[in-house]
């Protein structure tokens, strides 16, 4: 509907576009196609190809590309291994979202990005299993683990700060809200009261004792440690694939899902088994 009246190249596959845009409204899709048309015009193209649609999607999600950013070879290598770590762990976690694209082109505040194609059914229902959330934490830690394995503990960077925030948030919600902790049980704790007009951190109040807080912290730490161990096991077991993917990213800067999966077929990678 939203591509009507626009000239499209033969390589445009709307099924693949749909997999990368779950939850998009009609207005979002119209904006996507308009951005793709603008990019095609800037590139003096007569048709919109899959590359323009992909670049438009990344621009909408992550911000404009930093064309004039000066990136040293050392930083480029580090970002490549970081993103390869995310992708590698995500691809080998059972029942996790497939990798759609990996990029080390700086956008917004990010030095690189790994795009997954989440299930539209899962997004619409809002229901996430415990195993999915545990996988999500391991994937988020994959970047830092790759940095540690390749560059050593002393040479890791602050690039994983957002990943740590995501992992901490998910682990705490699993314990406090979702009933995924045997020690806390099937109850929701924390976050009660507060002024709704204040920021979330300011308004949240703990409605449990210090003893319970110690248990919560212990359970959160256990979940994070488990995710870190799983990510480490995957990356060390498939270190050859990590090297190949990182080298491919350094050479090409972007790798799509199909090319990424071919590495796993060639490397005979196996899904992680807990």
């Amino acid at each position: 509907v939203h591509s009507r009246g626009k000239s499209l190249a033969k390589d445009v596959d709307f099924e693949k576009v749909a997999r990368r845009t779950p939850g998009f409204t009609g207005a979002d899709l119209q904006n996507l196609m308009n951005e793709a048309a603008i990019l095609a015009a800037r590139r003096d193209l007569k048709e919109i190809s899959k590359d323009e649609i992909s670049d438009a999607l990344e621009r909408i999600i992550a911000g404009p590309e930093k064309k004039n950013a000066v990136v040293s070879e050392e930083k480029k290598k580090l970002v490549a291994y970081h993103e390869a770590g995310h992708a590698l762990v995500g691809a080998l976690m059972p029942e996790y979202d497939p990798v759609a694209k990996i990029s080390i082109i700086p956008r917004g505040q990010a030095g690189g990005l790994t795009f997954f194609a989440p299930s539209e059914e899962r997004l619409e229902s809002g229901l996430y299993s415990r195993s999915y959330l545990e996988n999500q934490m391991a994937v988020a830690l994959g970047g830092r683990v790759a940095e540690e394995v390749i560059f050593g503990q002393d040479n890791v960077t602050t690039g994983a700060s957002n990943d740590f925030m995501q992992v901490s948030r998910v682990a705490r919600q699993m314990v406090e809200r979702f009933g995924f902790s045997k020690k806390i049980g099937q109850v929701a704790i924390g976050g009660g009261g507060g002024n709704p007009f204040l920021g979330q951190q300011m308004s949240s109040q703990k409605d449990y004792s210090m003893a319970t807080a110690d248990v919560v912290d212990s359970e959160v730490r256990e979940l994070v440690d488990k995710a870190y161990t799983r990510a480490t096991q995957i990356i060390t077991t498939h270190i050859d694939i990590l090297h190949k993917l990182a080298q491919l990213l350094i050479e090409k800067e972007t790798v799509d899902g199909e090319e990424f999966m071919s590495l796993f077929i060639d490397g005979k990678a196996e899904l992680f088994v807990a």
Side-chain angles (χ1 to χ4, degrees):
V1 171
H2 302 293
S3 64
R4 194 172 296 157
K6 294 180 172 64
S7 297
L8 301 175
K10 293 181 180 180
D11 64 358
V12 174
D13 186 339
F14 282 123
E15 187 174 332
K16 291 181 180 179
V17 175
R19 284 201 295 267
R20 290 193 63 187
T21 55
F24 271 45
T25 64
D28 293 330
L29 293 173
Q30 185 173 15
N31 183 38
L32 172 63
M33 294 309 300
N34 289 340
E35 285 284 349
I38 291 171
L39 288 175
R42 287 176 179 171
R43 296 169 182 175
D44 295 325
L45 301 175
K46 295 181 180 180
E47 295 179 325
I48 300 171
S49 74
K50 66 177 183 179
D51 292 333
E52 281 69 57
I53 295 177
S54 179
D55 290 345
L57 181 60
E58 291 171 28
R59 181 184 179 89
I60 292 171
I61 294 175
E65 178 182 327
K66 293 183 177 178
K67 293 184 178 292
N68 298 322
V70 178
V71 181
S72 67
E73 288 301 314
E74 189 61 29
K75 181 180 179 182
K76 192 174 184 180
K77 180 180 178 181
L78 190 142
V79 173
Y81 273 102
H82 184 102
E83 296 305 325
H86 286 311
L88 179 60
V89 177
L92 295 179
M93 280 296 174
E95 300 180 15
Y96 195 69
D97 304 325
V99 176
K101 186 176 181 180
I102 315 158
S103 172
I104 60 171
I105 298 173
R107 287 182 180 275
Q109 299 299 314
L113 290 165
T114 300
F115 296 90
F116 292 90
S119 164
E120 189 157 4
E121 180 181 348
R122 189 185 295 115
L123 284 177
E124 288 181 351
S125 68
L127 298 175
Y128 298 85
S129 66
R130 175 177 181 138
S131 62
Y132 179 87
L133 295 176
E134 289 180 341
N135 291 345
Q136 188 180 56
M137 288 190 293
V139 173
L141 291 172
R144 167 52 72 87
V145 171
E147 286 188 33
E148 290 179 349
V149 170
I150 301 301
F151 302 100
Q153 294 263 355
D154 294 336
N155 295 311
V156 296
T157 68
T158 58
S161 59
N162 287 334
D163 300 330
F164 295 153
M165 291 173 65
Q166 177 190 355
V167 169
S168 300
R169 182 173 64 252
V170 170
R172 193 159 292 278
Q173 287 180 334
M174 289 176 69
V175 174
E176 291 185 342
R177 293 180 53 197
F178 302 150
F180 289 154
S181 165
K182 291 182 179 179
K183 292 182 180 179
I184 297 299
Q186 313 304 310
V187 293
I189 61 176
N195 189 328
F197 297 103
L198 295 177
Q200 185 177 0
Q201 294 298 323
M202 294 178 65
S203 64
S204 61
Q205 297 179 359
K206 285 184 169 57
D207 55 4
Y208 49 83
S209 67
M210 289 299 295
T212 301
D214 289 340
V215 175
V216 170
D217 290 342
S218 174
E219 290 288 88
V220 168
R221 170 55 60 187
E222 185 175 330
L223 286 169
V224 175
D225 287 346
K226 179 182 178 181
Y228 179 85
T229 300
R230 296 172 83 196
T232 303
Q233 185 176 340
I234 288 175
I235 286 176
T236 53
T237 302
H238 300 89
I239 192 73
D240 291 342
I241 297 177
L242 181 76
H243 286 309
K244 290 178 181 178
L245 177 55
Q247 188 59 42
L248 194 60
L249 282 168
I250 292 170
E251 293 172 2
K252 300 182 61 177
E253 294 192 330
T254 61
V255 175
D256 62 26
E258 293 178 359
E259 192 172 12
F260 171 67
M261 288 309 300
S262 69
L263 287 176
F264 284 82
I265 295 172
D266 295 340
K268 298 180 181 179
E270 297 180 358
L271 287 176
F272 176 81
V273 179

